[in-house]
Amino acid sequence: MIATTMMVAASGIAVSPEIAIATMAALTVYAIGLLPGGRLTALEVLAAQALVVGLAVFLIPQDYLRSLISFSQGGGNLPIGPAIHILFYACILLIVVPRLLAARLFESSAGASYACALGIASLAMVPPALGRCDASHVFLNGLGLFTVAFALFARSGTRRFLTYTVAYLLIVFVYFQVSNARTYGISRSQLESAATLIKADFVRLVARSHFSSSQTANATRPETPASANAIGADPYARFDVYDALGLPYGSYGYEKSLQRYLWGQKRVIPEKYMGALDIYDESQLQERISELARMPRIVVQKNFLKLYEHRDPCKENQQYLAAALLAVRSRPCVHEPLDADIEMAKFIDSHYQVEAEIGDYLVMKRCK
Amino acid sequence: MLSSGIAVTRSRVIRQVPPALIYTISGAATYYLLCVLPYAFPAAAYPRILSASYVFGFNNKVAILGLIAVIAVLTFFQVKSRFGFIDDLPEQVAVRRLDGPLVKLFAVASLWYLALTVTIYFVVAKTNGFYRFDWESSHFIWHTRMMYLYGSRPYLDFVTSYGPALAYLPAWSYSALKPFGISIEASYYVLHYVLNLVGLAALTMLVNSFAIAPSYKRIAFSSVALSGFSLPMGLSGLLIRYLLPYVGLLCVHAANAYEVTRKSSGA
């Protein structure tokens, strides 16, 4: 019992802070629910969790809780609107969770404690679902609840079960995956080219298996950019004259081929932040700008240099919410938006000067 | 004595309120508390926050507390006759045998996930353009490169929003597969698939534990498995991550049931 609890609690902590909270909240309520009959088991569950938390505090740096704190203070949050995904999630919460929680009110058994704890796990997943409440966060954080809901509706009759199943498939599968495909732009021609690419790689793999010596040679060489074969290594070879380069816009500001090339050559300056990711407030933004200021030479895409010009962040936020179906009507901005990319672009444009132009990219040198 | 008094009062109150009225009031209250009231409590102008809620003066905390309050009230209004899901769930979930067709569905779902992973890897991930569909994978691959090339440490040398497993596993996966000529991206996709299998196994276990007809279990499993593949390919979107609190709890409950059974049979 102790070993199982420790493993479960440790797994929750290892995955992410909010999952750790949901897991341990559920386990705690389960243990309390076992009282008074299962006093010893309850004690074991609580003690095992306390031990794991103690170990985690000792082993994991404090910054582990950084994102949780940022989110709880409102960072990255989106206003909740009557969007399909939110209405569906809220309906299922209201139908399922009270019944689970009430289980322990009606009877005192391990099964009832388990049901109640399932309800607590679902409640603990509400803040991550409704903080940054786009379809992705709501559906993923609601997956456990939706799964349990299948059981509840199955126990309520065939008609209810089928109604729920159809609604679930239409909303969580079709609506979610189609919106994903639309957001990231998957075209028919891309899908058609899949077969060609898979076939080419399969043929290459089969050929390699016939020449084991060349396979060994491949295994020992450093990571080579795929772009070298596809578009030629020459354009990126011009970066070789620089020892170290900062990539202030992280993985979203550069083509994969360039990223593979620069990382493969070990020319990328390691940074604490990857682009503007995980920046949720002014102090973090300041930390990011200070980090940027320490880089003697950076690479930026030409389009990103004047990223701050002709921007209306308020309107962009309104458009984003409308696209995410989170706003029925446009709301006025009550506070001035803060955009980390825009602030970085301003800093780069005023503190760096162009040293070289390589394809679509600029190598910039710190001048102030 | 006191609790039985409360239960009697509760029961009387509930019987006097028509269910339709409860649903109407709770629906309207939820809408108001979730979508309207939070605008009355905007965040302070300083310190500035990067958030659309901050920009539009919406307070997510108020919304979440409001929803939890409605759930608490609805919990009070539950009556046993309407509750029929868990009360006859056997205590010995650990010894519940796996449904054969469910295992076959697990195999089908594993192949479907493999097809999706391979397709996305070859069609999207291996290309030279910008990250698009595979955007969520980019953070993990970026940090894996930092760890592998520079020995960077999560939380200390770079910021990460997730737990240590999601930082170290890609690095370990690459270290293990590199001798076979596998690139960082390919090793990441291998790991992604393996963890998805773990997620599907967890889903099978969870669904199998429900006290419902096998046909319903199969439909439930298929529906969740079908929708549980997160296309942006981040480890953050894995099925196992979101099922962990539920499956973890099931494991502990099963361990408890096993111990109770063992003790009673021993006695």
Side-chain angles (χ1 to χ4, degrees):
Chain A
M1 193 69 192
I2 291 176
T4 310
T5 308
M6 283 183 77
M7 255 169 58
V8 169
S11 304
I13 291 171
V15 167
S16 59
E18 76 280 9
I19 297 296
I21 289 175
T23 306
M24 290 197 281
L27 291 179
T28 303
V29 166
Y30 178 70
I32 293 169
L34 293 175
L35 296 172
R39 200 177 299 129
L40 183 66
T41 312
L43 210 65
E44 282 176 349
V45 172
L46 295 174
Q49 284 192 91
L51 193 62
V52 171
V53 171
L55 279 171
V57 168
F58 182 68
L59 292 172
I60 304 177
Q62 265 189 343
D63 263 14
Y64 170 76
L65 294 173
R66 189 179 177 282
S67 66
L68 190 78
I69 293 165
S70 294
F71 277 118
S72 67
Q73 288 170 345
N77 285 357
L78 298 173
I80 299 169
I84 297 173
H85 61 275
I86 289 175
L87 292 177
F88 182 72
Y89 178 65
C91 278
I92 303 305
L93 264 176
L94 295 184
I95 293 170
V96 175
V97 175
R99 292 171 196 213
L100 294 172
L101 294 178
R104 187 61 185 81
L105 296 177
F106 296 121
E107 64 176 87
S108 170
S109 68
S113 302
Y114 172 62
C116 185
L118 283 175
I120 290 295
S122 304
L123 267 190
M125 296 300 280
V126 172
L130 294 182
R132 188 168 182 80
C133 53
D134 53 18
S136 171
H137 283 83
V138 170
F139 289 147
L140 290 173
N141 285 294
L143 264 181
L145 169 74
F146 295 144
T147 309
V148 172
F150 273 103
L152 184 130
F153 285 108
R155 300 283 301 177
S156 310
T158 308
R159 213 174 65 182
R160 285 182 185 178
F161 178 76
L162 290 178
T163 307
Y164 173 68
T165 305
V166 171
Y168 177 87
L169 286 173
L170 283 176
I171 296 170
V172 183
F173 180 62
V174 179
Y175 171 85
F176 178 37
Q177 303 295 17
V178 168
S179 77
N180 258 340
R182 280 182 56 171
T183 309
Y184 294 101
I186 281 286
S187 64
R188 191 179 164 183
S189 60
Q190 273 182 312
L191 290 173
E192 281 169 357
S193 68
T196 320
L197 284 163
I198 292 169
K199 197 178 163 189
D201 270 71
F202 181 72
V203 169
R204 191 175 56 80
L205 279 171
V206 169
R208 255 172 59 175
S209 69
H210 286 296
F211 300 99
S212 56
S213 56
S214 66
Q215 191 178 19
T216 314
N218 281 342
T220 49
R221 74 182 178 192
E223 195 193 1
T224 312
S227 58
N229 299 325
I231 62 167
D234 282 349
Y236 296 152
R238 290 179 60 197
F239 284 104
D240 291 353
V241 295
Y242 307 103
D243 285 338
L245 293 161
L247 301 181
Y249 293 106
S251 65
Y252 58 90
Y254 313 87
E255 286 160 285
K256 284 184 229 174
S257 49
L258 177 61
Q259 291 182 45
R260 287 186 195 116
Y261 187 81
L262 293 177
W263 282 109
Q265 303 286 323
K266 217 177 168 180
R267 292 189 197 284
V268 181
I269 300 173
E271 299 166 56
K272 184 170 182 179
Y273 288 92
M274 191 198 79
L277 213 74
D278 298 312
I279 298 173
Y280 297 111
D281 60 40
E282 259 180 328
S283 66
Q284 291 167 356
L285 180 60
Q286 210 44 54
E287 191 183 16
R288 175 64 178 140
I289 297 287
S290 307
E291 182 180 42
L292 192 55
R294 289 194 294 271
M295 286 191 271
R297 208 170 259 110
I298 59 171
V299 181
V300 294
Q301 205 192 142
K302 283 176 190 169
N303 296 343
F304 276 57
L305 189 59
K306 301 286 181 185
L307 198 65
Y308 58 91
E309 283 185 350
H310 314 297
R311 296 288 295 267
D312 184 348
C314 175
K315 199 174 174 183
E316 285 169 21
N317 269 292
Q318 288 167 337
Q319 286 169 343
Y320 177 80
L321 289 189
L325 302 168
L326 285 167
V328 179
R329 60 188 170 87
S330 221
R331 283 195 161 265
C333 294
V334 299
H335 296 312
E336 194 190 339
L338 191 62
D339 187 308
D341 279 325
I342 291 177
E343 299 304 319
M344 283 200 299
K346 282 180 190 169
F347 181 84
I348 290 168
D349 199 27
S350 57
H351 292 78
Y352 286 83
Q353 64 185 23
V354 177
E355 193 178 11
E357 199 176 317
I358 304 175
D360 286 338
Y361 299 96
L362 302 169
V363 176
M364 303 188 75
K365 193 179 174 184
R366 184 92 158 88
C367 59
K368 286 182 194 173
Chain B
M1 194 72 176
L2 181 67
S3 63
S4 67
I6 291 170
V8 169
T9 313
R10 211 176 118 257
S11 169
R12 274 187 199 146
V13 170
I14 294 164
R15 278 200 204 101
Q16 283 165 6
V17 185
L21 186 65
I22 297 174
Y23 289 129
T24 311
I25 292 173
S26 57
T30 304
Y31 176 77
Y32 178 76
L33 292 169
L34 264 187
C35 305
V36 181
L37 185 67
Y39 283 106
F41 300 92
Y46 294 96
R48 290 169 73 195
I49 304 168
L50 276 90
S51 144
S53 289
Y54 166 80
V55 170
F56 296 111
F58 186 90
N59 193 322
N60 292 65
K61 257 186 251 178
V62 170
I64 290 164
L65 288 175
L67 181 63
I68 291 173
V70 175
I71 290 171
V73 172
L74 285 178
T75 304
F76 176 83
F77 278 98
Q78 294 303 308
V79 287
K80 194 171 184 181
S81 60
R82 277 194 229 139
F83 185 83
F85 153 49
I86 295 290
D87 37 1
D88 61 351
L89 178 79
E91 303 270 308
Q92 291 91 345
V93 280
V95 294
R96 186 180 278 274
R97 285 186 61 191
L98 269 176
D99 176 40
L102 200 59
V103 176
K104 283 180 191 155
L105 280 174
F106 167 78
V108 171
S110 303
L111 289 174
W112 170 239
Y113 275 39
L114 179 66
L116 283 173
T117 308
V118 169
T119 306
I120 293 172
Y121 175 68
F122 283 100
V123 179
V124 188
K126 275 197 84 176
T127 56
N128 291 325
F130 289 91
Y131 279 102
R132 287 165 43 148
F133 213 83
D134 52 342
W135 152 247
E136 291 286 350
S137 69
S138 73
H139 334 164
F140 297 98
I141 293 171
W142 183 277
H143 289 144
T144 304
R145 286 181 165 132
M146 283 180 70
M147 291 171 79
Y148 189 78
L149 291 171
Y150 299 103
S152 304
R153 297 157 302 169
Y155 313 113
L156 297 172
D157 300 319
F158 62 85
V159 175
T160 175
S161 299
Y162 312 108
L166 302 196
Y168 283 104
L169 285 175
W172 292 342
S173 173
Y174 180 50
S175 296
L177 296 174
K178 191 175 182 283
F180 303 100
I182 293 177
S183 67
I184 280 188
E185 279 130 331
S187 67
Y188 173 83
Y189 273 72
V190 169
L191 174 72
H192 190 277
Y193 178 66
V194 169
L195 291 178
N196 256 334
L197 287 185
V198 176
L200 284 174
L203 178 64
T204 311
M205 192 178 149
L206 184 63
V207 170
N208 191 60
S209 73
F210 295 148
I212 57 175
S215 58
Y216 289 159
K217 285 183 190 178
R218 292 163 208 159
I219 293 173
F221 174 84
S222 307
S223 305
V224 179
L226 202 60
S227 54
F229 190 94
S230 179
L231 292 171
M233 301 308 287
L235 294 183
S236 48
L238 286 168
L239 194 58
I240 185 62
R241 179 177 174 210
Y242 300 100
L243 289 184
L244 193 64
Y246 299 84
V247 177
L249 181 64
L250 175 65
C251 289
V252 172
H253 179 49
N256 182 30
Y258 174 76
E259 271 190 24
V260 169
T261 314
R262 194 172 54 87
K263 276 178 194 165
S264 59
S265 64

